Amino acid sequence: MPLTLAAPVHSELIIKKSRFIGCVQPMADRASAQKVVAALWDEHPGARHVCWALLAGGQSAAVDDGEPNGTAGRPMLDVLRHQDLEGVLATVVRYFGGVKLGAGGLVRAYTDAVAQALLQAEKVPIVRLATLRCVVPYAMEGLLRRELEAVGASLLAVAHGQAVELCFSLPEDAAAALHARLAELGQGRIEWLAMQDDAV
């Protein structure tokens, strides 16, 4: 099961007078990652490089930001991959200390900065959600709400018309059991609707 991180975690290394400030954090997509990187440049205007790696489905990235090709972004991405992470951004801000580290030294430095941060990070399983929609008579609304609460489902939208339409989400692995239980309790009075692209 893929894991993500509960919260951002930082690390800091000094290697031959160069300062490497690492961070690993949960991240949904590339656009969000680029905003974080831009903010790091604002926060560290004196830095020489802000290298980063992102594992987020089809939006993964490995950016060397001026370091020799393949010495920063790719090694950082490899660390994330080896730990079976998903939806995670790793960044390393480097302040150059005047001593060149060589390709091997750079790979080790960027790898270590990410690995050190990950040692302190809390890893949590990624829970895939299913979203369901149904229509019930007014008399069944309370029952349905209690059943949703009992399984930890999140109520996303409720519309009151001739009947009550509810849209809710819950972990994918619990959806089939809830569907079966509600079918039994509803005795044919629950109408399930197809999800629309523009649904809540």
Side-chain angles (χ1 to χ4, degrees):
M1 175 182 290
L3 302 168
T4 190
L5 302 180
V9 180
H10 295 84
S11 68
E12 187 167 330
L13 304 172
I14 306 289
I15 300 169
K16 293 185 179 175
K17 299 183 182 176
S18 277
R19 184 175 167 215
F20 294 85
I21 305 165
C23 179
V24 290
Q25 60 193 301
M27 193 63 49
D29 54 43
R30 191 180 181 114
S32 304
Q34 287 169 321
K35 286 180 187 166
V36 169
V37 172
L40 283 172
W41 274 116
D42 291 341
E43 196 180 324
H44 299 278
R48 177 71 66 90
H49 307 281
V50 178
C51 302
W52 56 284
L54 173 70
L55 262 186
Q59 300 186 39
S60 298
V63 178
D64 292 320
D65 189 42
E67 292 283 29
N69 193 28
T71 59
R74 179 64 57 189
M76 292 163 65
L77 189 65
D78 288 344
V79 174
L80 299 180
R81 282 200 175 117
H82 286 310
Q83 300 215 16
D84 198 20
L85 293 169
E86 176 61 39
V88 174
L89 170 68
T91 55
V92 179
V93 175
R94 181 188 183 191
Y95 285 88
F96 183 55
V99 179
K100 292 191 174 180
L101 303 182
L106 287 172
V107 169
R108 278 191 299 279
Y110 283 102
T111 298
D112 288 351
V114 174
Q116 291 292 326
L118 284 171
L119 282 176
Q120 309 161 61
E122 180 188 350
K123 297 173 186 122
V124 292
I126 293 175
V127 178
R128 306 261 180 233
L129 296 177
T131 303
L132 304 173
R133 288 171 67 223
C134 65
V135 176
V136 298
Y138 276 88
M140 289 191 64
E141 182 181 0
L143 168 76
L144 191 70
R145 284 177 178 263
R146 284 190 296 277
E147 290 296 321
L148 296 181
E149 192 175 322
V151 297
S154 299
L155 196 54
L156 304 175
V158 180
H160 294 93
Q162 291 185 330
V164 184
E165 182 179 324
L166 300 102
C167 179
F168 54 92
S169 67
L170 73 164
E172 267 180 5
D173 56 5
L178 178 68
H179 202 290
R181 177 159 170 76
L182 291 177
E184 183 183 316
L185 291 170
Q187 298 173 337
R189 292 179 294 162
I190 297 177
E191 179 190 351
W192 292 97
L193 305 173
M195 288 306 301
Q196 300 165 345
D197 289 340
D198 60 350
V200 174

